Amino acid sequence: MTVSDSEKIPIGIPGLNDVLGGGLPRKGIYLVQGNPGVGKTTLGLQFLLEGRALGEPGLYVALTETRREVELIARSHGWSLEDLPIWEITPAFKRIRREDDQTMFHPAEVELDETTRPIFEEIDRVKPARVVIDSLSEIRLLSREPLRYRRQLLLLKQFFLERECTVLLIDSQGFAGRDSGGILETLIGGLIVLEKTTPAYGTTRRRLMVDKLLGVSFREGYHDYQIKTGGLVVYPRLVAAEHPKAFSREPVSSAVPELDDLLGGGLERGTSTLILGSAGTGKSSLASQYAVAAARRGEKSVLFTFEESVGTWRARASAFWPDVEAHLRSGAIRVVHVDPAELSPGELSSCIREAVEKQQVQMIVIDSLNGYLQSVPEESFLILHLHELLTYLGQKGVTTILNMAQYGLLGPTMDVPVDVSYLADCVLLLRFFEAAGEVRQSISAVKKRSGRHERTIREFQLDTQGIHVGRPLRESHGVLTGTPSDRGGEGPLLPPRE
């Protein structure tokens, strides 16, 4: 039986409701598990604050943290815990004091009852719809034996079900493997696992996984998330098949006639283009040319730059296209600098989705994949992530341009950090070559799935007037090696740059 949307409650965390298939089923008991520092307490507070905003009373039961510690966490996010009851219990202090007063029973046996009984009394007094118990480690330690621990959990479950509460139980992940065959996991309605990893350089990366959720279809696998001022923000894993959209597959012009001729009329809407070339061959400028042409048509573009700052891009672009500042002010072109040490792949996908779905952006430029690779260090994950992203953008009718720098400047062969050429619908190759004692550039379309294209190699030039593409270099041989021969005169070459 599947839980209907009316029987679900929002958890109060952006993105997590999407992962949960709309929210948590009401009147259930769920476990949030993770090591210290993953944001378990923050998640619990967001769950209760969302309930408060919806008029549902809540209760926070602090077994291992003090009220002051909980309030400090809330204050760091700018939250007020006014009208949110916090029930604080400090069993460790009581145990130390009582061990000197009695010896007939083991202190833990007495204290387990004295720990749970006040919780029941407080819940009956407050009558909350949402409850957070932080954490179960104290109850586990006081139970001492697996059988007693299981009985205590069954008692808690029965108590909460009778009072129709939705409960989050917070637990440390370190106990997961020592839980006597998963006693807790068999009694709950859902399990959310929070994890964090610290790379050799850069910020801590966090991800979560819904391991179990009864009666609800949810997004399986890992999802990136961050702890920001204001709480957890989850970036659901992108599933391209969930975002189909009908659109017209029309040509996308660069506003450079010779370049459009090279591509058989231009790029095609809803396709991806990979621009390959050494550093300095003009990859960023070529991608920017398409963005400026789109802005002049009244379309929106977003450029995600990894190596180039926004200020540097503006200065360079303004030298080529005088109207670029007007397009930046109007929002037709937006440039976002990405720090791969800080931004996770999930957050980048979320930014792209927001641009496409909320801002109606029709062109996305990622400059470059070399920087993007640093945020996804494992090649297999990069390929899968990029495949899903390109499929999603293609289904939305977005024209995508990806830049990738090749190693080296001149020579017959040049390597790339990872081969993604088979993912792209179109591949443009920019190369340096030597002619008459001068370093020049060439451009060729080596692949285009969506239609015809020239097999020629043309000269490519950047100057203060923008981008220029010359006639095919038919009199030259070996241009792609960097040292052409048998060039029959100066005819095909463009005049020197200004």
Side-chain angles (χ1 to χ4, degrees):
M1 182 178 64
T2 302
V3 177
S4 65
D5 291 340
S6 62
E7 297 175 304
K8 299 174 185 176
I9 60 173
I11 201 167
I13 297 176
L16 187 51
N17 283 336
D18 188 296
V19 174
L20 294 170
L24 293 172
R26 292 183 182 275
K27 307 171 188 176
I29 300 178
Y30 308 97
L31 174 64
V32 178
Q33 199 173 68
N35 291 323
V38 295
K40 302 187 297 296
T41 300
T42 303
L43 186 152
L45 288 174
Q46 286 180 268
F47 172 71
L48 294 179
L49 292 173
E50 177 72 6
R52 184 179 67 179
L54 297 175
E56 301 175 357
L59 174 65
Y60 192 97
V61 178
L63 296 180
T64 54
E65 293 182 323
T66 64
R67 174 188 293 271
R68 180 177 178 276
E69 290 171 332
V70 175
E71 291 176 343
L72 282 174
I73 294 174
R75 196 175 304 127
S76 70
H77 293 291
W79 300 332
S80 170
L81 299 184
E82 186 179 357
D83 300 328
L84 181 62
I86 300 176
W87 181 251
E88 176 188 6
I89 301 178
T90 55
F93 173 76
K94 296 178 182 178
R95 176 165 62 250
I96 293 173
R97 184 181 61 185
R98 190 168 53 248
E99 285 179 344
D100 296 330
D101 299 337
Q102 59 88 25
T103 58
M104 183 174 297
F105 300 102
H106 194 285
E109 296 179 5
V110 177
E111 191 166 353
L112 178 60
D113 178 66
E114 292 189 3
T115 299
T116 56
R117 180 163 40 81
I119 297 175
F120 296 157
E121 293 174 353
E122 183 67 7
I123 289 173
D124 284 336
R125 185 186 71 82
V126 176
K127 295 180 173 54
R130 301 187 183 205
V131 177
V132 173
I133 297 181
D134 185 5
S135 74
L136 284 181
S137 58
E138 187 66 29
I139 294 177
R140 181 189 291 103
L141 291 172
L142 293 176
S143 298
R144 296 176 61 84
E145 298 177 356
L147 180 59
R148 194 154 187 260
Y149 179 49
R150 180 178 177 83
R151 289 175 178 171
Q152 193 63 45
L153 292 176
L154 286 170
L155 177 63
L156 285 171
K157 180 178 181 178
Q158 185 62 33
F159 177 84
F160 288 127
L161 289 178
E162 289 176 355
R163 285 150 184 82
E164 299 186 342
C165 298
T166 305
V167 184
L168 289 187
L169 306 175
I170 295 177
D171 198 16
S172 296
Q173 196 168 9
F175 286 99
R178 307 195 298 271
D179 201 14
S180 303
I183 293 173
L184 179 57
E185 285 81 350
T186 61
L187 300 178
I188 56 175
L191 171 61
I192 302 175
V193 180
L194 307 181
E195 297 180 0
K196 69 174 182 177
T197 58
T198 304
Y201 181 83
T203 189
T204 298
R205 299 290 176 87
R206 293 177 172 88
R207 62 181 186 175
L208 64 81
M209 175 180 63
V210 179
D211 198 37
K212 170 185 177 182
L213 195 58
L214 295 178
V216 175
S217 298
F218 58 90
R219 292 184 185 274
E220 299 183 0
Y222 284 104
H223 311 271
D224 293 335
Y225 75 95
Q226 283 188 325
I227 303 177
K228 298 184 176 182
T229 301
L232 270 65
V233 179
V234 178
Y235 307 107
R237 180 172 54 84
L238 183 62
V239 180
E242 298 176 355
H243 303 276
K245 177 184 176 181
F247 63 93
S248 174
R249 291 190 175 274
E250 57 189 3
V252 176
S253 174
S254 65
V256 179
E258 296 82 2
L259 179 57
D260 290 342
D261 290 341
L262 178 67
L263 292 167
L267 302 178
E268 192 171 284
R269 195 171 302 281
T271 62
S272 58
T273 299
L274 175 64
I275 303 177
L276 286 171
S278 303
T281 50
K283 301 182 299 299
S284 298
S285 298
L286 179 56
S288 300
Q289 171 67 45
Y290 279 99
V292 172
R296 291 170 179 170
R297 293 192 300 268
E299 301 175 1
K300 293 183 179 180
S301 303
V302 177
L303 292 82
F304 294 91
T305 65
F306 285 81
E307 289 84 16
E308 191 174 28
S309 68
V310 176
T312 302
W313 185 92
R314 294 181 73 147
R316 178 174 55 80
S318 297
F320 291 149
W321 305 283
D323 59 343
V324 75
E325 287 293 334
H327 297 316
L328 289 169
R329 287 193 298 269
S330 68
I333 297 178
R334 188 160 61 93
V335 183
V336 180
H337 178 65
V338 179
D339 184 350
E342 298 292 327
L343 195 72
S344 67
E347 185 175 0
L348 179 59
S349 293
S350 179
C351 291
I352 292 175
R353 281 191 61 186
E354 181 177 357
V356 172
E357 297 174 11
K358 295 184 179 180
Q359 302 167 17
Q360 305 302 310
V361 167
Q362 294 162 288
M363 180 176 292
I364 295 290
V365 176
I366 296 179
D367 186 13
S368 68
L369 286 180
N370 304 73
Y372 186 77
L373 178 62
Q374 303 307 311
S375 64
V376 193
E378 297 184 54
E379 178 180 335
S380 59
F381 291 162
L382 170 68
I383 298 298
L384 290 172
H385 187 81
L386 194 58
H387 177 273
E388 205 71 22
L389 180 61
L390 294 180
T391 303
Y392 162 79
L393 292 171
Q395 292 183 164
K396 288 292 187 180
V398 176
T399 305
T400 308
I401 298 177
L402 313 167
N403 289 344
M404 175 172 278
Q406 295 175 296
Y407 299 139
L409 294 176
L410 292 168
T413 60
M414 292 187 182
D415 294 330
V416 292
V418 57
D419 183 17
V420 296
S421 59
Y422 67 93
L423 293 179
D425 299 303
C426 178
V427 178
L428 292 175
L429 180 62
L430 300 179
R431 294 295 301 267
F432 286 120
F433 70 97
E434 179 269 333
E438 184 177 353
V439 177
R440 294 176 176 263
Q441 294 140 271
S442 68
I443 183 171
S444 56
V446 297
K447 171 187 175 183
K448 188 184 179 190
R449 286 194 184 119
S450 56
R452 65 180 184 86
H453 65 92
E454 288 186 7
R455 294 287 183 177
T456 60
I457 303 172
R458 292 175 177 251
E459 190 178 2
F460 178 80
Q461 190 179 91
L462 297 170
D463 58 28
T464 55
Q465 302 301 315
I467 288 176
H468 303 280
V469 176
R471 293 181 294 164
L473 298 172
R474 300 190 186 279
E475 293 84 357
S476 302
H477 303 280
V479 173
L480 296 184
T481 68
T483 55
S485 60
D486 298 327
R487 183 170 54 83
E490 297 291 336
L493 295 179
L494 292 168
R497 300 182 187 180
E498 295 181 5

